[in-house]
Amino acid sequence: MSLTELTIADAAAGLRKRAFSAVELVRAHTDAIGALNPRLNAYITPTSDAALEAAAHADAALARDEAKPLTGIPLGIKDLFCTTGVRTTAASNILKNFVPPYESTVTANLLRDGAVFVGKTNLDEFAMGSANITSAFGPVENPWKRKGEADTVLVPGGSSGGSAAAVAAGLAMGATGTDTGGSIRQPAAYCGIVGLKPTYGRCSRFGTIAYASSLDQAGPMARSVRDCAIMLQSMAGFDPRDSTSVDRDVPDYSAAIGRSLKGLKVGIPREYRAEGLSAEIGAAWQQGIEWLRAAGCEIVDVSLPHTKYGLATYYIVAPAECSSNLARYDGLRFGERVEGQTLDAMYEATRRAGFGPEVRRRIMMGTYVLSAGYYDAYYLKAQKVRTLIRRDFTECFQQVDVLLTPTAPTPAFAQGEQSDDPVQMYLNDIFTVPASMAGMPAMSVPVGLGDTGLPLGLQLIGRPFDEETLLAAGSALESAAGFTHRPAIRAEGAK
Amino acid sequence: MSLDPATVRRIARLARIGIDESDLQSLQGELNGILGWVEQLNEVDVEGGSPMVGTGHAALRTREDVVTDGNCREAVLSNAPDAVGPFYTVPKVVE
Amino acid sequence: MSYTIEGKTGTWEIVVGLEVHAQIISHSKLFSGASASYGGEPNTHVSLVDAGFPGMLPVLNRECVAQAVRTGLGLRARINLESRFDRKNYFYADLPTGYQISQFTHPIVGEGTVEIELADGTVRHIGITRLHIEQDAGKSMHDQDPARSFIDLNRAGVALMEIVSEPDIRNPEEAGAYLRKLRQILRYLGTCDGNMEEGSMRADVNVSVRKAGEPFRTRCEIKNVNSIRYVMHAIEVEAARQVEVWEDGGEVDQETRLFDPARNETRSLRSKEDAHDYRYFPDPDLLPLVVEQEWVDELERALPELPDDKRDRFIRQYGIPRYDASVLVAEQAIADYYEEVAKGRDARLAANWVTGDLFGALNRTGRTIQDSPISAQALGGMLDLMADKTINGKIAKEVFEDMLETGDSAADIVERKGLKQVTDTGAIDAAVADVLARNADKVEEYRGGKDRLFGFFVGQVMKAMAGKANPAIVNEALKKVL
């Protein structure tokens, strides 16, 4: 098997057995990036040289038997995580030359455990988007193709589209993502990989460029459930520098893989049978239900009555927070500046040139819903609805242990195929947003291919801090599905 | 509720995003589309309900009053587009 | 005391409320570990959190919360066990994140009260609306470059308390008394140094005018006034301006104004078109702040005695007049000095010496109580010499001046100068006999009924004995002979 096809678990074992060296493993990936990135545009900034240097150190550590859980494992890092000395752009013109003098906690944790970063992955600008088409560095191509449509360029989903595409195509063994309303799970589903959004507070937000602070959460994206467990083990943990980080022990996530599901109660929320759910996804969902039943789970119909308001609530709360979070990009202390005669002229020119249309739109929307006279009608109302959304989940979890839903209403769509109407684009997140609003952990697992040969994902939503049940149920779905399909464009094929 | 061009201009001004007349119409249309769509929240009865504050998972932590940071002017100015000596700069502000 | 403005159309009353920004005394900033100390090279007391770098997050300084709670307790105010931090959004060059973290809807401290005393002895109570915690901004410098302003973020993120009064103040004198009292309380508590020159305490002054019995009219806010005297002037000129506007048939606009002390006028700071819309909302980087009642109780038990309590105790314990007590508690250090002097001595005499001769001397020499040339112990030593009749009051004045100059102890000075009071009745009797002999005519007059000559004889005897005679014994001896 090619080195770019291995799972993290297998690669870690192979490194320890000296089946191959870290330099070989990393080089296979940096070569793949060199070959495929010009087309896929999954990376904004590949860091091949630094990666190979780090790989040599990893080999030295392996030789001394000082290997850590991720020693020598090549990972992609969403370009929203600040990395010391490595340009961090948030896929925005305003940060196109920003070089942070600090490391985010999540990436620092991965480095502590020996990971090798092969580059900074592309994303929607400031993580705002569901198709990775708002990046100032150009769109990302989904490595999957519809049957018989080799020339149709599909979107990888967003906002962690670069991470998803890189992992799917073998340009990284795993990647970090961030998820605000579905930005890990939806691209994972579109690209046929596993993506896990942990409980809000599980991974530190320190050093990760903020979009919507009360929702943003970092998580792993990989080709297996176990790999996600291995990555989350490193990424998660208490950080005193993030006031919303939760001081709670990190359990042994890998131990949950393959755990018996006997007696586990799985809730099927009826509201997710929403309009616009494609037949193929409906069928995949039903199949997932059967698999879990066969694994010993009890299937329970449940209701989340306010879930249908999740998306509208999200599109008030997230823009409101973003309008404030992005005020710091003013051309003064960092980032690109466009000069002006006055301070305000400088601000306006800088922010007009620096932000793309979707970011500007969300800042405008957020500014409006917070403005005098509208705060109560929009923001306060949305936060009250949010309380109801969370209460729905909390009540549900008194009856069941985990929820199973589709991740997205459709498989990946083609660039330009969706209308220009922002609201239509927002509907891609309809199934992922409610768990984000409630702060619950959720995971997308690929379970099969749809009618057009594209991967389909199912979403598991768990109780706060019960990522283990997600991993246990996710691994059951994974083995039942036996998903071994690979995308049309992938590292192996490039050889 | 529907935004008129004057409101769009006012919001852009508050957000310090320069817009010109050509942006105005499309922006107005898009924002009104989004606002019309979120009107669905009017169906929800939130009477007596409280807004979500924090995540409910933890209380605010505090830190000791100790100097542990600062004295890093090089880092502070490392990305400044127009630093002069130890200062950031902006176009002259007339007060 | 009533203070009104006589206009063309009648009598106007002034209504004033004050918002005082007081810098919290702490080692590090409110939400970052950078130093909060004053000064420092530009942009050195700055962390990446203060500079608002991407991904930087605030973590609350517990001591700043404690200082706000102490202050709230000192203002006899309600402590809110749950409070919140909100973002106040606006763009400015010295505001790195584009928002100030403040407390808008749920401040840590609620209603309280401050007792003020006016020159004529009137006591008034000024209501406190609230106290909240917020961040200070950085500093812009406009005079170093022709085209640019320079930004220093050393102050950005330093903790402030904003203390908002009710519109209970009715004239400049009350405003001054309120600010002095507030400063005194903050200094007693050690929560703010009250130094208005360095900007660690500054006031926004809300002024309106109305005719008697009317509801409030529109107010103007005079921003950032940095001395008590200026606050008083600003109220005077702003109220006069508003009366003129109303009487000329105009409307006072609700606006922010600036006080120009050189011209003794206020002027509009921002045009109305540019009105701020701060878009407050709860800061999603911070959860609600919850403090335990036990912790508040613990802070309360550890509070120092507050000025009003101390004043009342002085009156009670030392039997001194209210005015003297008020003067003595003005500063903690003065009160401590006095108590050391008064301990085990004649407390009223001690009060007279401290508020009289000592304050006079400090004033004359431009010193404060902290660097007084005469320590409390030394002054006490002098009072002891008076008490055991080693010296009398007149000699004490001389000894005091000498102590001031030489720093010697009273005992040493008395010894060196031979100022010990004469209580030897033989010597006094001799002096009395001598004085009477030399003034036989006056003795005749006295005996003829001119009683007030008695003082003359005492003076002559004291003079003959170089002031050192015990006055009581002199009196006695004179009475006996006359």
Side-chain angles (χ1 to χ4, degrees):
Chain A
M1 191 185 253
S2 153
L3 292 179
T4 58
E5 297 284 307
L6 293 174
T7 62
I8 292 172
D10 290 343
L15 286 169
R16 279 165 181 72
K17 284 189 304 202
R18 312 286 190 269
F20 43 82
S21 71
V23 168
E24 286 168 321
L25 182 65
V26 170
R27 191 181 300 283
H29 287 83
T30 56
D31 285 351
I33 292 168
L36 290 179
N37 199 52
R39 169 169 186 177
L40 295 177
N41 200 26
Y43 287 89
I44 293 173
T45 310
T47 54
S48 303
D49 292 347
L52 288 167
E53 207 173 299
H57 288 298
D59 280 328
L62 283 157
R64 293 192 305 268
D65 277 330
E66 287 171 7
K68 299 184 190 114
L70 291 170
T71 293
I73 302 298
L75 299 179
I77 301 300
K78 188 178 185 180
D79 206 15
L80 204 60
F81 293 88
C82 291
T83 42
T84 307
V86 177
R87 180 174 79 142
T88 301
T89 68
S92 181
N93 271 323
I94 209 158
L95 288 177
K96 68 181 176 197
N97 293 307
F98 177 62
V99 180
Y102 51 94
E103 191 75 29
S104 80
T105 297
V106 163
T107 49
N109 289 346
L110 290 168
L111 291 171
R112 174 202 65 206
D113 284 349
V116 173
F117 298 163
V118 291
K120 304 297 291 287
T121 59
N122 207 340
L123 64 151
D124 279 300
E125 185 179 1
F126 281 103
M128 297 178 202
S130 311
N132 216 126
I133 53 176
T134 71
S135 168
F137 295 83
V140 175
E141 180 175 351
N142 189 328
W144 290 82
K145 294 294 166 196
R146 285 183 189 141
K147 268 187 273 184
E149 288 187 37
D151 295 333
T152 306
V153 175
L154 303 177
V155 303
S159 67
S160 309
S163 289
V167 171
L171 308 191
M173 307 202 81
T176 60
T178 64
D179 191 314
T180 305
S183 281
I184 286 175
R185 292 160 283 161
Q186 184 253 19
Y190 281 15
C191 291
I193 63 166
V194 184
L196 195 163
K197 179 200 92 78
T199 313
Y200 184 81
R202 179 76 286 187
C203 291
S204 169
R205 294 184 298 112
F206 180 86
T208 306
I209 295 176
Y211 159 25
S213 311
S214 73
L215 296 156
D216 296 344
Q217 186 57 209
M221 304 173 81
R223 288 190 296 265
S224 77
V225 174
R226 181 181 294 276
D227 285 2
C228 278
I230 293 168
M231 283 183 70
L232 182 60
Q233 196 75 43
S234 286
M235 295 167 71
F238 173 61
D239 182 2
R241 290 178 299 180
D242 173 1
S243 298
T244 61
S245 166
V246 176
D247 192 357
R248 207 184 152 109
D249 287 341
V250 178
D252 179 358
Y253 290 124
S254 294
I257 308 292
R259 193 168 79 186
S260 163
L261 300 188
K262 217 158 188 63
L264 191 78
K265 288 187 176 139
V266 179
I268 309 299
R270 66 178 70 105
E271 289 78 10
Y272 278 69
R273 297 194 189 280
E275 269 178 75
L277 178 66
S278 70
E280 52 186 338
I281 289 184
W285 190 11
Q286 194 52 48
Q287 179 66 70
I289 292 169
E290 297 312 324
W291 284 331
L292 288 180
R293 201 196 306 275
C297 297
E298 185 185 332
I299 305 299
V300 183
D301 275 327
V302 295
S303 172
L304 297 165
H306 297 92
T307 206
K308 63 174 169 175
Y309 302 111
L311 208 52
T313 308
Y314 175 85
Y315 276 98
I316 292 171
V317 173
E321 293 182 12
C322 111
S323 72
S324 178
N325 282 336
L326 270 59
R328 68 190 61 202
Y329 305 104
D330 58 6
L332 206 160
R333 297 163 311 283
F334 43 77
E336 300 304 298
R337 170 195 290 206
V338 178
E339 292 297 343
Q341 281 301 305
T342 64
L343 180 61
D344 283 336
M346 189 267 276
Y347 285 151
E348 291 187 352
T350 294
R351 290 163 62 79
R352 182 195 164 80
F355 295 138
E358 181 62 26
V359 172
R360 293 206 299 263
R361 188 150 53 229
R362 293 197 195 187
I363 290 174
M364 292 280 289
M365 177 77 187
T367 303
Y368 179 69
V369 299
L370 290 176
S371 66
Y374 300 101
Y375 177 86
D376 287 3
Y378 290 111
Y379 187 79
L380 189 63
K381 172 91 186 229
Q383 287 289 46
K384 286 181 176 174
V385 176
R386 197 174 169 188
T387 299
L388 299 177
I389 293 170
R390 186 173 59 180
R391 199 182 62 195
D392 284 355
F393 278 104
T394 306
E395 285 173 0
C396 238
F397 284 126
Q398 286 167 0
Q399 305 169 52
V400 299
D401 302 302
V402 68
L403 300 169
L404 181 71
T405 78
T407 306
T410 65
F413 50 90
Q415 280 179 15
E417 204 168 70
Q418 285 223 346
S419 81
D420 290 340
D421 179 359
V423 172
Q424 285 306 311
M425 185 62 90
Y426 297 169
L427 291 173
N428 291 301
D429 295 333
I430 190 157
F431 297 144
T432 49
V433 152
S436 297
M437 297 310 285
M440 306 290 166
M443 178 167 72
S444 179
V445 182
V447 291
L449 298 184
D451 305 338
T452 57
L454 294 179
L456 306 174
L458 290 183
Q459 174 179 234
L460 291 157
I461 305 171
R463 293 192 180 99
F465 298 99
D466 189 12
E467 283 81 3
E468 289 158 283
T469 295
L470 294 186
L471 293 164
S475 65
L477 286 176
E478 184 179 49
S479 40
F483 187 91
T484 53
H485 311 283
R486 307 287 295 125
I489 304 166
R490 62 178 189 277
E492 202 183 27
K495 281 182 182 166
Chain B
M1 269 173 269
S2 173
L3 300 185
D4 57 20
T7 308
V8 176
R9 270 192 219 100
R10 185 174 64 82
I11 297 300
R13 166 91 187 124
L14 269 179
R16 297 295 190 276
I17 289 179
I19 54 171
D20 54 36
E21 291 305 304
S22 60
D23 299 331
L24 198 61
Q25 213 176 3
S26 60
L27 207 45
Q28 184 189 350
E30 288 159 4
L31 291 174
N32 276 327
I34 301 168
L35 287 169
W37 173 66
V38 302
E39 298 265 289
Q40 58 177 289
L41 294 186
N42 292 342
E43 301 162 25
V44 191
D45 180 12
V46 293
E47 202 50 43
S50 50
M52 185 147 152
V53 178
T55 56
H57 300 317
L60 183 60
R61 275 187 315 273
T62 53
R63 47 167 245 277
E64 296 291 330
D65 180 27
V66 182
V67 176
T68 55
D69 208 341
N71 282 317
C72 53
R73 188 157 71 195
E74 203 180 317
V76 161
L77 297 175
S78 60
N79 281 272
D82 186 26
V84 173
F87 297 106
Y88 296 116
T89 69
V90 292
K92 196 167 190 82
V93 178
V94 185
E95 279 187 335
Chain C
M1 186 188 111
S2 88
Y3 177 103
T4 50
I5 298 176
E6 293 306 323
K8 291 181 293 208
T9 61
T11 303
W12 297 82
E13 178 186 60
I14 303 181
V15 178
V16 174
L18 291 169
E19 292 168 20
V20 172
H21 291 90
Q23 190 195 310
I24 292 175
I25 294 177
S26 66
H27 298 295
S28 59
K29 292 184 177 180
L30 181 55
F31 292 112
S32 89
S35 169
S37 64
Y38 190 78
E41 288 293 304
N43 286 316
T44 55
H45 294 178
V46 180
S47 74
L48 297 172
V49 175
D50 306 316
F53 269 61
M56 291 295 122
L57 296 169
V59 183
L60 180 62
N61 181 338
R62 177 165 42 248
E63 174 62 10
C64 294
V65 178
Q67 292 286 57
V69 170
R70 288 183 191 112
T71 307
L73 293 168
L75 299 173
R76 318 218 183 273
R78 183 164 48 81
I79 306 302
N80 294 323
L81 297 181
E82 182 170 337
S83 63
R84 290 188 200 159
F85 289 99
D86 300 294
R87 292 184 182 177
K88 178 181 182 179
N89 294 284
Y90 64 96
F91 285 87
Y92 200 64
D94 58 19
L95 185 70
T97 49
Y99 54 83
Q100 176 195 36
I101 304 178
S102 181
Q103 297 189 298
F104 182 56
T105 54
H106 296 77
I108 184 145
V109 176
E111 300 84 358
T113 177
V114 169
E115 183 189 297
I116 59 168
E117 199 171 330
L118 304 175
D120 65 358
T122 318
V123 171
R124 285 209 60 209
H125 290 89
I126 306 298
I128 297 291
T129 313
R130 56 183 282 163
L131 174 156
H132 69 253
I133 308 171
E134 64 183 25
Q135 298 173 297
D136 203 351
K139 206 168 79 181
S140 307
M141 279 151 284
H142 308 299
D143 47 7
Q144 317 213 348
D145 183 284
R148 289 176 287 197
S149 293
F150 288 4
I151 311 297
D152 173 15
L153 297 180
N154 279 353
R155 307 308 302 153
V158 170
L160 302 177
M161 294 179 277
E162 180 171 326
I163 304 163
V164 182
S165 86
E166 292 288 315
D168 289 347
I169 294 165
R170 290 290 171 271
N171 60 58
E173 189 200 352
E174 288 180 5
Y178 169 78
L179 286 171
R180 274 190 300 274
K181 187 57 173 283
L182 193 58
R183 185 170 62 179
Q184 180 188 31
I185 293 170
L186 297 176
R187 285 178 171 166
Y188 261 72
L189 294 168
T191 58
C192 170
D193 67 21
N195 189 333
M196 292 188 88
E197 294 71 42
E198 282 180 6
S200 47
M201 191 171 139
R202 34 188 209 259
D204 296 343
V205 190
N206 285 296
V207 181
S208 66
V209 296
R210 65 173 174 187
K211 295 202 169 156
E214 273 187 356
F216 294 139
R217 295 195 183 203
T218 313
R219 62 188 161 86
C220 290
E221 184 181 22
I222 309 163
K223 277 270 180 210
N224 262 329
V225 189
N226 62 1
S227 88
I228 292 175
R229 202 159 48 92
Y230 288 169
V231 168
M232 296 169 72
H233 286 322
I235 292 169
E236 217 169 304
V237 298
E238 175 60 17
R241 183 191 72 87
Q242 290 183 14
V243 165
E244 208 177 303
V245 170
W246 290 120
E247 294 200 329
D248 288 349
E251 282 268 324
V252 169
D253 293 328
Q254 179 158 353
E255 62 178 356
T256 304
R257 300 180 69 86
L258 207 63
F259 176 63
D260 181 342
R263 295 178 163 172
N264 201 34
E265 64 176 28
T266 67
R267 61 169 185 271
S268 186
L269 190 60
R270 293 183 188 106
S271 62
K272 268 206 303 186
E273 304 79 77
D274 207 15
H276 278 147
D277 181 343
Y278 291 123
R279 291 160 283 135
Y280 284 100
F281 76 110
D283 190 327
D285 287 332
L286 296 162
L287 303 168
L289 171 62
V290 178
V291 299
E292 304 292 330
Q293 184 62 49
E294 279 170 34
W295 185 63
V296 175
D297 293 343
E298 204 176 292
L299 291 173
E300 186 159 27
R301 281 193 295 275
L303 284 188
E305 186 180 28
L306 287 161
D308 288 351
D309 297 333
K310 199 184 279 288
R311 177 199 63 210
D312 294 347
R313 177 170 64 82
F314 279 15
I315 296 170
R316 222 172 39 239
Q317 181 177 341
Y318 299 119
I320 58 177
R322 184 182 168 99
Y323 178 80
D324 284 2
S326 292
V327 170
L328 287 169
V329 302
E331 283 176 41
Q332 180 88 51
I334 295 173
D336 291 347
Y337 185 103
Y338 168 68
E339 289 212 86
E340 170 130 26
V341 177
K343 203 158 98 192
R345 303 193 174 95
D346 180 339
R348 302 180 72 138
L349 187 66
N352 288 340
W353 275 93
V354 172
T355 60
D357 297 79
L358 181 71
F359 280 9
L362 293 176
N363 249 334
R364 246 185 1 256
T365 54
R367 287 169 183 259
T368 64
I369 196 83
Q370 280 87 351
D371 57 4
S372 166
I374 300 175
S375 70
Q377 264 177 325
L379 185 59
M382 192 195 82
L383 294 187
D384 291 341
L385 295 182
M386 291 174 75
D388 69 12
K389 306 206 174 350
T390 304
I391 57 173
N392 59 39
K394 187 159 179 293
I395 293 295
K397 302 263 180 198
E398 185 185 340
V399 171
F400 182 86
E401 289 304 319
D402 198 317
M403 288 168 78
L404 205 54
E405 208 156 293
T406 62
D408 290 347
S409 74
D412 287 350
I413 293 165
V414 168
E415 184 65 40
R416 161 156 57 77
K417 292 190 162 172
L419 296 175
K420 196 167 162 28
Q421 180 167 260
V422 177
T423 49
D424 171 2
T425 48
I428 292 171
D429 286 346
V432 166
D434 184 50
V435 165
L436 297 186
R438 281 195 281 113
N439 296 286
D441 51 337
K442 295 231 166 38
V443 173
E444 276 314 300
E445 281 175 48
Y446 178 82
R447 284 181 176 146
K450 221 173 175 182
D451 288 353
R452 58 194 166 79
L453 277 171
F454 189 77
F456 167 80
F457 296 126
V458 173
Q460 291 298 309
V461 174
M462 290 302 282
K463 195 174 163 191
M465 300 198 65
K468 289 183 286 183
N470 181 324
I473 301 175
V474 172
N475 277 348
E476 199 121 317
L478 272 168
K479 272 187 194 147
K480 211 165 27 177
V481 182
L482 285 168

